[in-house]
Amino acid sequence: MNALYSLLFVFLLVLIPLFGVDAAHMKTFFGVCIPVTAFIIFIIGFASKVINWGRSAVPFRIPTTGGQFKSFDPQLFKQNKYDCPQTGAQTFVRMVLEVFAFRSLFRNTEVSLHETKDGPVVAYKSSKWLWLFAIIFHYSFFIVALRHLRLFLEPVPFFVNGLEFVDGILQIGAPTMYMADAGLVAGVLLLLGRRLINARINYISYVSDFFPLFLILAVALSGIYMRYYAKVDVIAIKELTMGLVTFSYVVPETISVSFFIHVFLVSVLMIYFPFSKLMHMPGVFMSPTRNMPNDTRAKHHVNPWNPDIKPHAYADYEKEFGVPMAEAGLPLDNPDNGKAPEEA
Amino acid sequence: MPKADELFKSIDYAPPTTGWMETPVDFSPGNWCYPAKPEKIQYMESKLPGLWGEAREWSPGDEDWKLPSNWKEIVVNGFRERLDKFRTLKLFMDICVRCGACADKCHYFIGSGDPKNMPVLRAELMRSVYRGEFTLAGKILTKLTGSRVMEEDVLKEWFIYFYQCTQCRRCSLFCPYGIDTAEMTMMARELMHLVGLNTNWIMEPVSNCNITGNHLGIQPHAFKDIVDFMVDDIEEVTGRRVKAPLNEKGHDILFITPSGDAFADPGIYTFMGYLTLFDYLDLDYTMSTYASEGGNFGSFTNNETMKKLNAKMYAEANRLGCKWILGGECGHMWRVVHQYMDTMNADLQGDQMTTPVNPITGTVFDTAAATKMVHITEFTADLIKHGKLPLDPSRNDHLRVTFHDSCNPARGMGLLDEPRYVLKAVCNNFFEMPAGTTREQTFCCAGGSGLNTEEILEIRLRGGLPRGNALKYVQDKHGVNTLACICAIDRATLIPLADYWAPGVTVTGTHELVANALILEEGEERTMDMRMEALPGYEDEDDDWTPPNM
Ligand code: SF4
Ligand code: SF4
């Protein structure tokens, strides 16, 4: 049901520019006003959310450790440097592996129950599907996004050219098919499929889980349509996009409606981004269980709001239990506490 | 209580047909722990005012939980306050993508199939309220985005499911963003405490710890009696009358262990192990009746109480003039010591406290330079490495041993190899449980974080399935009959768990085995182990006792 709502919603979103652009003067609206506004909302929303997180204290150093910590005898007990980092550099490596290789997901397992003749067995097997789907999706998305820099920079930086070259190395079709385009669509479909088919994942999925997937799928498909089928006027588009960057807006007449649909969907994605779970993107860098060294026993660390709380005083303890303590022969700080009330 | 295989058959991972927000919660007895006795709450309120709500008699089985009239305001405001105080909370409310990687990592889910025991949904119980109360999108779109407002039913659901989380953090290890459901459980419990939703099995230990120094409420003279008994027993086993200094000033080291070790089988054997070891070393140490609890039950309530109870350790080290603290085998004690202690209470450390140095080997424990506190397995491993302990591991030959990594030292610290090193030095038959159930992937005993109570035994046994099954595996495969651990809660909770899932396996602390193997003087012959059970070859003719599983 949630998936259906999301699909419907994205469908409606496509219709807006489809009909909107044909109306008079709406090209400027869809080609300039909406994307610029969306970009501003994205930047401000993104930044304020991150700042908002940053405002909250990190009172305790609570890394989740995976593997042996740095022991008093590092030779005898070999530290697992990147799952149980002790220094900033080690923590940095842990984060790099986390961000670029999705390391935690890589260790994912799947549980299953079996009844054997020797009794019940709980089995765990490595399950790397989610890792694989996520890697395909994120890297494809990343490469596609980078490739778009070509439209916003003049001259086009060498790495964008290089990336395009590598991405299109298979040289299938004309215009050359990019692997990342296929990867992005495949990635979204795989993640969607997982969400739809796996009953447990389906159970925990909201509209807000399906919607971004459908939206990104629509973005990708509209882009692909534009490039491979509609064969839009790229020169004209670059004129428009460079206009956006240089604040001298032009909307060339030759741009077809598929472009406006694509831009509109991207704009929706940008607006949606800061208010959604997509913020896991900056969030992963800030996760306190991952981005702190496991050195709390070795180094002092400050809790900015550390409450002023003192232990139950020993003196009170001795007052309360002094008599039996004295009888048991336990030493007392104040011998008077050891006297029975009638003696005192 | 169903039989083990019946219980196993009853597990169904297929989610219900109703959405999770519509699926009602089962409040029948057995699903919840008893609430705290009012006097315990009154006492704590007098010590840490404003954190406990009103003390009252109530029951989770009743319709009316006697919440204060402004309960919602209290909870929502408390929530808002904690979002600012804990970045973890705020961040983890926003960034979960519901990928489900954590879903089947929780032992309670594995053993129950209840989807609300999937860490992701457990946290959603809170996140839904966060969205509904604090975010614009959540307010507008409500259920479609998984948001809802705080209602009495929601709070009641919290009570059930946040007291079905042992804060073991296994889920956090597998989450791509390190989302720590244990952290959210802690916050949810803090919030529930504000309106007087608590459990007696936590609150009674908490108040006992504050009054008497230990969670069992053992008064100082009784504590001394217990220790004296153990000294007698050690003498019977080893022929040596060991010193057991209590509350003595002028020693370098203060030894603090969970009081569970002073109280019941098999913890007492571990305690006897410590005493035997220290006496052999002629260690310059003392124990304390005032700081007679290492386990921090405050960490199951709120961080204020955690801090207050932890502070005793430094206070007592100062009073007695100790330079550093040696800590016994305990899970959540060590999570608190490792991750919180110095941050919370470093200002209470006296000038006399120094970076710990092992007086026997000279090893400087730089890794504990801030807390001034060393784990006993680090200490013993260091001794063994330097050849300071004459050991006869064959005295443990009747035991076939496996090791249970306690969650807190494993995932909140990284203490994995030291206990293994010690165990392998003191026993000849050591076997690991299957990969995926040990080290950082270890499974909880299902009784941590204050859930070690009889009221919810079935839940505990369900949660204990993953550990129990791994144990059964090594029992069948290697004839394992002994489960060693380094946690006092484990020593209590793993016994019913093993009896249920892997009958025939006994539970032991690591230092019990150390004391078994330790040769106190040359030529010494032992006929009994620390449990006063005859070693093989020394069985009494007319004693029909045989070592387990032989
Ligand atoms: S693994 Fe992390 S991101 Fe995925 S559902 Fe669980 S808590 Fe959320
Ligand atoms: S912390 Fe442990 S008990 Fe709690 S949800 Fe995570 S895996 Fe389950």
Side-chain angles (χ1 to χ4, degrees), chain A residues 2 5 49 52-73 76-78 80 84 86 98 104-105 107-115 118-124 130 138 194-195 199-201 203-209 275-277 279-280 283-284 286-291 294-303 305-314 317-318 320-321 324-325 328-331 333, chain B residues 8-9 11 13 15-16 18-20 23 83-88 90-92 94-101 104-105 109 115 118 120-121 124 131 144-146 169 172-178 180 183 210-212 219-221 224 246-247 249 289-290 303-304 307-308 311-312 315 319 334 338-340 342-344 346 363 365-371 373-374 378 381-382 385 410-418 421 437 440 443 465-466 469 472:
Chain A
N2 283 340
Y5 285 141
K49 190 98 220 187
N52 182 289
W53 287 335
R55 278 226 186 92
S56 290
V58 183
F60 302 111
R61 202 162 268 230
I62 53 163
T64 310
T65 62
Q68 172 68 28
F69 67 174
K70 184 180 170 221
S71 183
F72 67 96
D73 188 338
L76 189 56
F77 307 112
K78 221 169 149 285
N80 185 335
C84 206
Q86 175 94 4
E98 204 57 76
S104 295
L105 263 192
R107 60 161 81 88
N108 195 25
T109 57
E110 197 188 310
V111 75
S112 54
L113 304 178
H114 307 268
E115 287 180 50
D118 303 324
V121 169
V122 191
Y124 316 90
L130 178 57
H138 284 89
R194 180 175 174 274
R195 235 174 235 295
R200 215 181 295 154
I201 310 300
Y203 194 69
I204 55 174
S205 298
Y206 307 127
V207 163
S208 48
D209 295 304
F275 307 99
S276 70
K277 70 169 194 175
M279 287 302 283
H280 68 273
V284 64
M286 299 184 80
S287 179
T289 55
R290 291 284 194 270
N291 69 9
N294 179 31
D295 63 356
T296 348
R297 218 160 31 115
K299 283 196 196 114
H300 184 58
H301 177 72
V302 178
N303 171 0
W305 49 261
N306 201 8
D308 181 25
I309 291 170
K310 296 282 177 285
H312 180 64
Y314 174 80
Y317 172 86
E318 199 179 276
E320 185 167 357
F321 299 112
M325 280 173 85
L330 288 164
D333 277 1
Chain B
F8 185 84
K9 283 200 191 93
I11 303 169
Y13 289 158
T18 46
W20 69 263
T23 308
L83 288 168
D84 284 333
K85 283 164 87 179
F86 296 90
R87 187 181 301 167
T88 40
K90 201 189 253 178
L91 192 75
F92 295 163
D94 284 325
I95 66 171
C96 171
V97 295
R98 287 170 294 281
C99 68
D104 58 354
K105 306 304 177 285
F109 175 73
M118 300 193 283
V120 48
L121 259 198
E124 284 292 319
R131 289 189 208 105
L144 293 182
T145 57
R169 304 179 104 203
S172 171
L173 181 74
F174 291 89
C175 172
Y177 319 114
D180 186 359
E183 181 79 355
N210 206 53
I211 304 168
T212 61
Q219 297 189 0
H221 53 291
K224 181 163 190 305
L246 271 172
N247 296 2
K249 290 190 179 175
T289 59
Y290 162 76
N303 73 81
E304 286 85 354
K307 174 169 167 146
K308 188 172 178 66
K312 267 189 184 178
R319 187 182 74 86
W334 271 97
H338 184 80
Q339 297 197 321
Y340 299 91
D342 175 72
T343 308
M344 291 187 302
T363 300
F365 292 96
D366 281 323
T367 45
T371 53
M373 191 149 174
V374 171
E378 297 179 288
D382 182 46
K385 186 205 158 190
R411 279 184 293 269
M413 196 173 169
L415 181 83
L416 305 173
D417 285 333
E418 287 87 344
Y421 181 78
T437 69
E440 68 274 1
F443 275 107
L465 168 64
N469 203 258
K472 174 92 171 17

Side-chain angles (χ1 to χ4, degrees), chain A residues 151-154 237-247:
Chain A
L151 299 172
F152 298 94
L153 297 170
E154 192 57 56
I237 289 177
K238 178 129 185 187
E239 222 177 302
L240 185 149
T241 50
M242 285 309 293
L244 292 179
V245 189
T246 55
F247 303 106

Side-chain angles (χ1 to χ4, degrees), chain B residues 509-530:
Chain B
T510 299
H511 277 75
E512 178 187 337
L513 303 187
V514 171
N516 276 349
L518 185 63
I519 301 169
L520 293 172
E521 51 206 285
E522 219 175 320
E524 173 207 3
E525 197 175 349
R526 260 219 229 140
T527 57
M528 294 183 268
D529 64 11
M530 297 312 277

Side-chain angles (χ1 to χ4, degrees), chain B residues 102 105-109 116-120 122-123 161 164-172 179-183 185 407 411 444 449 451:
Chain B
C102 57
K105 306 304 177 285
C106 178
H107 48 286
Y108 286 118
F109 175 73
K116 285 179 193 165
N117 273 327
M118 300 193 283
V120 48
R122 196 189 306 287
Y161 287 99
Q164 273 185 38
C165 165
T166 43
Q167 310 181 348
C168 76
R169 304 179 104 203
R170 192 168 192 270
C171 45
S172 171
I179 291 177
D180 186 359
T181 306
E183 181 79 355
T185 295
C407 301
R411 279 184 293 269
C444 188
S449 88
L451 305 188

